[in-house]
Amino acid sequence: PALIAVETADPFAAALEAVTGIAKYASIVLIKNADPGAVLPLLTARQDIYTDPQKPVQVEPKIYEIGQVTKKSPVLITTNFSITYFTVAQEIEASRVPAYLIACDCEGMSVLTAWAAEKFTPEKIAATMAHSGIAGNVDHRELIIPGYVAMLSAKVEDLSGYSVVVGPREASGLPSFLRARYR
């Protein structure tokens, strides 16, 4: 169908009818309720259906400030795979330690996948650090890398000039790691 008009007054039934229309590839879905709480599930459904499974979902490769960062805030690096980025960012927030998180452009691959595909290499990390401008944001030269790529630490130090701290292997270990080290 090109157009679906949802006439149902009940917001839950309207959302269900609208999602059904989206799933059947309706080009336009008209709904009476413009409440953001009712529209968000529709947008999520649309995004899920129309996302190419062959193309990884990525975040923009850049510096992200989490919390009220200062010149002394720790600097962490990860890949730009959206699930990895959002998991790490959430754990940093949970630690309540303000930090900079740099998403390195690894074509949307997770840390281990990017490392295995030679997309998350010491050269790539050092280049990301140099081009990100993080040196102007902090007064230290310390970088926290994911624990699963600890073997990259010496070469990252040589190429970037940053002292490398190997973080926990799993993102779930970040809150206690950050609190113990930076509070």
Side-chain angles (χ1 to χ4, degrees), residues 104-118:
C104 180
D105 186 6
C106 297
E107 299 176 14
M109 295 180 190
S110 66
V111 172
L112 285 176
T113 304
W115 171 74
E118 296 183 0

Side-chain angles (χ1 to χ4, degrees), residues 4-5 15 18 61 65 75 78 80 90 92 108 149 166 178:
I4 283 192
E65 296 179 0
V75 178
T78 191
N80 69 327
Q90 181 180 17
I92 293 171
V149 292
V166 176
L178 291 171

Side-chain angles (χ1 to χ4, degrees), residues 130-145:
H131 293 103
S132 70
I134 191 67
N137 294 8
V138 294
D139 61 7
H140 62 82
R141 295 295 174 262
E142 188 174 270
L143 173 66
I144 301 169
I145 65 170

